[in-house]
Amino acid sequence: MSQINRRVFSKKLGHGIAGTALLSNMPYAIGKNTSKKDNKLGIALVGLGSYSTGQLAPGLVNAKHCYLAGIVTGTPSKEKIWMEQYDIPKANVYNYDNFDEIAKNDDIDIVYVVLPNSMHAEFCIRAAKAGKHVICEKPMAVSVAECDTIIQACETAGVKLSVGYRMQSDPYTNEIKRLVREKTFGDVHYVSSDAGYISRGNPDQWRLHHALSGGGALMNMGVYAIQSNIYGTGTNPISVAAQEFSTMPEYFKDTDETITAQMQFPNGVVGNLFTSHNANSNRLFVNFSKGWAELNPCHNYGPLAGKTSDGTEIKFPHQSQQMLQMDDFALHIQTGSTNYAPGEMGKRDMIIVEAIYQSIKEDGKTIALNLGTMGIVKHF
Ligand code: NAD
């Protein structure tokens, strides 16, 4: 019996026993729970904030290869609500203190860390030490050094690591990659990518505090624009120069408000990046030698939209990007298929983020990058 099959078998056995005791109270819940789990990997979400609540947990409901098996929360009042809504047994509920006990829980195969950025490294490392595969939300951490500690911990523990880059599993994004790869419109000459939104409201939110976020717009939305520049050219940048704009310093006291950056790619290709917490922007434009392709909107949860210079509409049925992303990672674990967002990709983007901040500190100086093919994942 393979490891996966043994685990599925023991899971079924375990639920059968628990089911006997609970059947009289919750027959429907147990029936639903058991059928849902067949051959699927169990995911535990760590941090039940807006992204887990609004996107990840709903995305898991229809996932084919994984399901929501557990939760880790620092807010006791959320436990009952989540247990009821997603049919999660009490034994699969943890808090930040007893989280390490998850090592003993065979229901949980993957731990998905969805906490403020400065907490990613600690919880990813604890998850790896517990022997669980890891998905780390973007940005992967608050520094390249922290990315290294996560990658090292996963390697040491022999577990798989992925970053929460949902766009890497999105069909629109993959269509752009295909046009670039197949040179449908010739060679790429210029890419422009924007990712921003107007942030208002609670000035105490963690995203506006450097100690928790590691930075502002660039750390939050800028990583999407970095990613689109890279899949819009099919290569990593060889240098970057950047500028910061501040129009509301009283609100954006501690983190960057708006950043622009210019990247040079091999063969004279140029990339432009815009990211902001004070302007709506959500577009990728790729200029080829014989035409162009555009996604607009490009980085939101969808439905996305796109077109090319020959009048073709880029259109796919809308599916949860988060569902596709988590299913891709579960399949990677189960079958050895491609990991579309490996830790190396998250680290590469953090190297670019640090270079952008360095350039700003040095008045827009061009910073050379030596990334080679780091984090470039082939989709064919
Ligand atoms: P959120 O503020 O809605 O939730 C944060 C969660 O962390 C909450 O449950 C909160 O209780 C918990 N938490 C624990 N310690 C905390 C502390 N000291 N300060 C604040 N909260 C604390 O945030 P979110 O939007 O869910 O973002 C969480 C992570 O997910 C971030 O890394 C973010 O970048 C990422 N994210 C990714 C996407 C995506 O599209 N991939 C979208 C949204 C968020």
Side-chain angles (χ1 to χ4, degrees):
M1 203 185 282
S2 72
Q3 201 180 351
I4 292 287
N5 285 341
R6 240 194 332 266
R7 179 168 273 182
V8 169
F9 176 75
S10 66
K11 267 185 197 175
K12 279 182 182 163
L13 189 65
H15 296 140
I17 294 163
T20 313
L22 293 169
L23 206 56
S24 54
N25 300 352
M26 311 170 61
Y28 174 67
I30 289 300
K32 191 174 64 165
N33 204 356
T34 315
S35 63
K36 226 171 38 170
K37 293 178 180 183
D38 288 345
N39 295 316
K40 295 181 179 182
L41 298 187
I43 294 191
L45 294 175
V46 186
L48 307 180
S50 58
Y51 194 53
S52 286
T53 306
Q55 306 302 326
L56 295 175
L60 280 166
V61 170
N62 295 316
K64 291 190 190 72
H65 306 290
C66 47
Y67 73 101
L68 182 56
I71 49 173
V72 184
T73 177
T75 312
S77 60
K78 291 182 183 170
E79 292 180 3
K80 191 163 175 280
I81 298 167
W82 278 70
M83 282 166 61
E84 281 177 8
Q85 182 157 358
Y86 292 104
D87 195 13
I88 297 168
K90 178 71 183 154
N92 293 359
V93 176
Y94 297 87
N95 58 45
Y96 301 141
D97 296 325
N98 68 15
F99 167 62
D100 307 280
E101 290 170 22
I102 209 164
K104 295 181 231 144
N105 191 330
D106 275 348
D107 279 357
I108 313 296
D109 303 286
I110 300 167
V111 165
Y112 194 154
V113 177
V114 203
L115 292 164
N117 307 339
S118 65
M119 299 171 77
H120 290 183
E122 179 195 337
F123 280 84
C124 288
I125 291 166
R126 285 170 70 181
K129 284 187 175 160
K132 305 300 177 185
H133 303 292
V134 179
I135 309 178
C136 175
E137 249 320 316
K138 51 67 35 187
M140 186 169 166
V142 295
S143 67
V144 175
E146 277 194 358
C147 294
D148 278 331
T149 61
I150 297 172
I151 291 169
Q152 188 59 55
C154 291
E155 276 175 11
T156 304
V159 297
K160 309 274 193 188
L161 168 64
S162 169
V163 181
Y165 283 140
R166 58 189 162 78
M167 302 312 306
Q168 293 292 344
S169 294
D170 177 84
Y172 288 82
T173 299
N174 288 331
E175 177 63 1
I176 296 292
K177 288 179 194 158
R178 188 187 69 77
L179 296 173
V180 172
R181 187 174 69 235
E182 295 180 0
K183 295 182 186 279
T184 313
F185 297 99
D187 294 320
V188 177
H189 284 175
Y190 169 68
V191 172
S192 172
S193 174
D194 312 337
Y197 65 90
I198 297 173
S199 166
R200 289 290 183 273
N202 183 3
D204 288 331
Q205 59 184 291
W206 66 262
R207 280 191 175 83
L208 299 179
H209 289 271
H210 198 277
L212 284 164
S213 61
L218 182 61
M219 290 289 276
N220 185 22
M221 300 306 292
V223 289
Y224 289 110
I226 289 171
Q227 287 247 311
S228 337
N229 259 269
I230 291 173
Y231 61 71
T233 57
T235 55
N236 284 330
I238 52 177
S239 73
V240 65
Q243 307 78 35
E244 181 177 357
F245 300 87
S246 172
T247 63
M248 285 182 64
E250 68 290 352
Y251 183 73
F252 298 102
K253 286 193 195 88
D254 202 23
T255 55
D256 43 282
E257 175 187 324
T258 297
I259 285 176
T260 55
Q262 305 78 45
M263 298 190 204
Q264 281 184 290
F265 292 86
N267 303 318
V269 179
V270 175
N272 201 33
L273 171 155
F274 174 91
T275 187
S276 181
H277 269 167
N278 201 18
N280 293 325
S281 51
N282 188 1
R283 179 175 178 251
L284 168 64
F285 196 90
V286 187
N287 259 299
F288 300 88
S289 49
K290 291 184 279 182
W292 51 262
E294 179 185 43
L295 294 184
N296 184 7
C298 173
H299 301 115
N300 54 318
Y301 304 144
L304 304 183
K307 58 189 178 203
T308 55
S309 49
D310 62 2
T312 307
E313 188 183 7
I314 301 175
K315 193 160 179 61
F316 295 94
H318 180 58
Q319 286 180 286
S320 158
Q321 296 162 345
Q322 291 78 10
M323 177 192 77
L324 296 173
Q325 169 215 327
M326 291 184 279
D327 265 349
D328 275 346
F329 186 54
L331 261 188
H332 165 64
I333 294 166
Q334 287 179 318
T335 69
S337 60
T338 302
N339 182 356
Y340 293 114
E344 191 187 52
M345 185 185 274
K347 174 183 168 181
R348 173 204 62 195
D349 296 348
M350 197 51 54
I351 291 172
I352 297 170
V353 163
E354 287 191 353
I356 288 174
Y357 283 135
Q358 187 190 339
S359 172
I360 290 166
K361 220 160 123 191
E362 298 189 41
D363 289 329
K365 181 181 160 186
T366 298
I367 308 292
L369 295 161
N370 187 17
L371 299 167
T373 57
M374 181 178 188
I376 300 279
V377 174
K378 292 200 187 316
H379 278 250
F380 54 96

